[in-house]
Coordinates of all heavy atoms in Angstrom, one line a residue:
A29 N 12.1 -2.0 23.9 CA 13.5 -2.1 23.5 C 13.7 -2.9 22.2 O 14.7 -2.6 21.5 CB 14.3 -2.8 24.6
H30 N 12.8 -3.8 21.9 CA 12.9 -4.6 20.7 C 12.7 -3.7 19.4 O 13.1 -4.1 18.3 CB 11.8 -5.7 20.7 CG 12.2 -6.8 21.6 ND1 11.6 -6.9 22.9 CD2 13.0 -7.9 21.5 CE1 12.1 -8.0 23.5 NE2 12.9 -8.6 22.6
L31 N 12.1 -2.5 19.6 CA 11.8 -1.7 18.4 C 13.2 -1.2 17.8 O 13.2 -0.9 16.6 CB 11.0 -0.4 18.8 CG 9.6 -0.7 19.2 CD1 8.9 0.6 19.8 CD2 8.8 -1.1 17.9
D32 N 14.2 -1.2 18.5 CA 15.5 -0.7 18.0 C 16.5 -1.8 17.7 O 17.7 -1.6 17.6 CB 16.1 0.3 19.0 CG 15.3 1.6 19.2 OD1 14.9 2.2 18.1 OD2 15.0 2.0 20.3
R33 N 15.9 -3.0 17.5 CA 16.7 -4.1 17.1 C 16.5 -4.5 15.6 O 15.4 -4.2 15.1 CB 16.4 -5.4 17.9 CG 16.8 -5.2 19.4 CD 16.6 -6.5 20.2 NE 16.7 -6.3 21.6 CZ 16.6 -7.2 22.5 NH1 16.2 -8.5 22.1 NH2 16.8 -7.0 23.8
Y34 N 17.5 -5.1 15.0 CA 17.4 -5.6 13.7 C 16.8 -7.1 13.8 O 17.0 -7.7 14.8 CB 18.7 -5.6 12.9 CG 19.2 -4.3 12.5 CD1 20.1 -3.6 13.3 CD2 18.7 -3.7 11.3 CE1 20.6 -2.3 12.9 CE2 19.1 -2.4 11.0 CZ 20.1 -1.7 11.8 OH 20.5 -0.5 11.4
P35 N 16.2 -7.6 12.7 CA 15.6 -8.9 12.8 C 16.7 -10.0 13.2 O 16.4 -10.9 13.9 CB 15.1 -9.2 11.4 CG 14.7 -7.8 10.9 CD 15.7 -6.9 11.5
H36 N 17.9 -9.9 12.7 CA 18.9 -10.9 13.0 C 19.3 -10.9 14.5 O 20.0 -11.8 14.9 CB 20.2 -10.7 12.1 CG 21.0 -9.5 12.5 ND1 20.8 -8.3 11.9 CD2 22.1 -9.4 13.3 CE1 21.7 -7.4 12.4 NE2 22.5 -8.1 13.3
E37 N 19.0 -9.8 15.2 CA 19.3 -9.7 16.6 C 18.2 -10.4 17.5 O 18.3 -10.3 18.7 CB 19.5 -8.3 17.0 CG 20.7 -7.6 16.3 CD 20.8 -6.1 16.6 OE1 19.7 -5.4 16.6 OE2 21.9 -5.7 16.9
M38 N 17.2 -11.0 16.8 CA 16.1 -11.6 17.6 C 16.0 -13.0 17.2 O 16.5 -13.5 16.2 CB 14.8 -10.8 17.2 CG 14.9 -9.3 17.3 SD 13.4 -8.5 16.7 CE 12.3 -8.8 17.9
S39 N 15.3 -13.8 18.1 CA 15.0 -15.2 17.9 C 13.9 -15.4 16.9 O 13.2 -14.4 16.5 CB 14.6 -15.9 19.2 OG 13.3 -15.4 19.6
G40 N 13.8 -16.6 16.4 CA 12.7 -16.9 15.4 C 11.3 -16.6 15.9 O 10.5 -16.0 15.2
G41 N 11.1 -16.9 17.2 CA 9.8 -16.6 17.8 C 9.5 -15.1 17.9 O 8.4 -14.6 17.7
Q42 N 10.6 -14.4 18.3 CA 10.4 -12.9 18.4 C 10.2 -12.3 17.0 O 9.4 -11.4 16.9 CB 11.7 -12.3 19.0 CG 11.8 -12.7 20.5 CD 13.2 -12.2 21.1 OE1 14.2 -12.1 20.3 NE2 13.2 -12.0 22.4
R43 N 10.9 -12.8 16.0 CA 10.7 -12.3 14.6 C 9.2 -12.5 14.2 O 8.6 -11.7 13.5 CB 11.7 -12.9 13.7 CG 13.1 -12.3 13.8 CD 14.0 -12.8 12.6 NE 14.2 -14.2 12.6 CZ 15.3 -14.8 13.2 NH1 16.2 -14.0 13.8 NH2 15.5 -16.1 13.1
Q44 N 8.7 -13.7 14.5 CA 7.3 -14.0 14.1 C 6.3 -13.1 14.9 O 5.3 -12.7 14.3 CB 7.0 -15.4 14.3 CG 5.7 -15.9 13.6 CD 5.7 -15.7 12.1 OE1 5.7 -14.6 11.6 NE2 5.6 -16.8 11.4
R45 N 6.7 -12.7 16.1 CA 5.8 -11.8 16.8 C 5.8 -10.4 16.2 O 4.8 -9.7 16.1 CB 6.3 -11.7 18.3 CG 6.0 -12.9 19.1 CD 6.7 -12.8 20.5 NE 6.5 -14.0 21.3 CZ 5.6 -14.3 22.1 NH1 4.6 -13.4 22.4 NH2 5.5 -15.4 22.8
V46 N 7.0 -10.0 15.6 CA 7.1 -8.8 14.9 C 6.2 -8.9 13.6 O 5.5 -7.9 13.3 CB 8.5 -8.5 14.5 CG1 8.6 -7.2 13.6 CG2 9.4 -8.2 15.8
G47 N 6.3 -10.0 12.9 CA 5.4 -10.2 11.7 C 4.0 -10.1 12.1 O 3.2 -9.5 11.3
I48 N 3.5 -10.6 13.2 CA 2.2 -10.5 13.6 C 1.8 -9.1 14.0 O 0.7 -8.6 13.6 CB 1.9 -11.4 14.9 CG1 2.1 -12.9 14.5 CG2 0.5 -11.2 15.5 CD1 2.1 -13.9 15.6
A49 N 2.7 -8.4 14.6 CA 2.5 -7.0 15.0 C 2.3 -6.1 13.7 O 1.5 -5.3 13.6 CB 3.6 -6.4 15.8
R50 N 3.2 -6.4 12.7 CA 3.1 -5.7 11.4 C 1.7 -5.9 10.8 O 1.1 -5.0 10.3 CB 4.2 -6.1 10.5 CG 4.2 -5.3 9.2 CD 5.3 -5.7 8.3 NE 5.3 -7.1 8.0 CZ 6.2 -7.7 7.2 NH1 7.3 -7.0 6.8 NH2 6.2 -9.0 7.0
A51 N 1.2 -7.2 10.8 CA -0.1 -7.5 10.2 C -1.2 -6.7 10.9 O -2.2 -6.4 10.3 CB -0.3 -9.0 10.2
L52 N -1.0 -6.5 12.2 CA -2.1 -5.9 13.0 C -2.0 -4.4 13.2 O -2.9 -3.8 13.8 CB -2.1 -6.5 14.4 CG -2.4 -8.1 14.5 CD1 -2.4 -8.5 16.0 CD2 -3.7 -8.4 13.9
A53 N -1.0 -3.9 12.6 CA -0.7 -2.4 12.8 C -1.8 -1.5 12.4 O -2.1 -0.5 13.1 CB 0.6 -2.0 12.0
I54 N -2.5 -1.8 11.4 CA -3.6 -0.9 10.9 C -5.0 -1.5 11.2 O -6.0 -1.2 10.5 CB -3.4 -0.7 9.4 CG1 -3.3 -2.0 8.6 CG2 -2.2 0.2 9.1 CD1 -3.2 -1.8 7.1
N55 N -5.1 -2.3 12.2 CA -6.4 -2.9 12.7 C -7.2 -3.6 11.6 O -8.3 -3.2 11.3 CB -7.2 -1.7 13.3 CG -6.6 -1.2 14.6 OD1 -6.2 -1.9 15.4 ND2 -6.5 0.1 14.6
P56 N -6.6 -4.6 11.0 CA -7.4 -5.4 10.0 C -8.5 -6.2 10.6 O -8.5 -6.4 11.9 CB -6.3 -6.3 9.4 CG -5.4 -6.6 10.5 CD -5.3 -5.3 11.2
E57 N -9.4 -6.7 9.8 CA -10.5 -7.5 10.3 C -10.2 -9.0 10.0 O -10.8 -9.9 10.6 CB -11.8 -7.1 9.7 CG -12.2 -5.6 10.0 CD -13.4 -5.2 9.2 OE1 -13.1 -4.8 8.0 OE2 -14.5 -5.2 9.7

């Protein structure tokens, strides 16, 4: 359900989780 939210609709911790997910999207090392 969080996929269809804008960043301002999320808490700071949730936004940072999104930032982590974006960094891991393409399986970096």
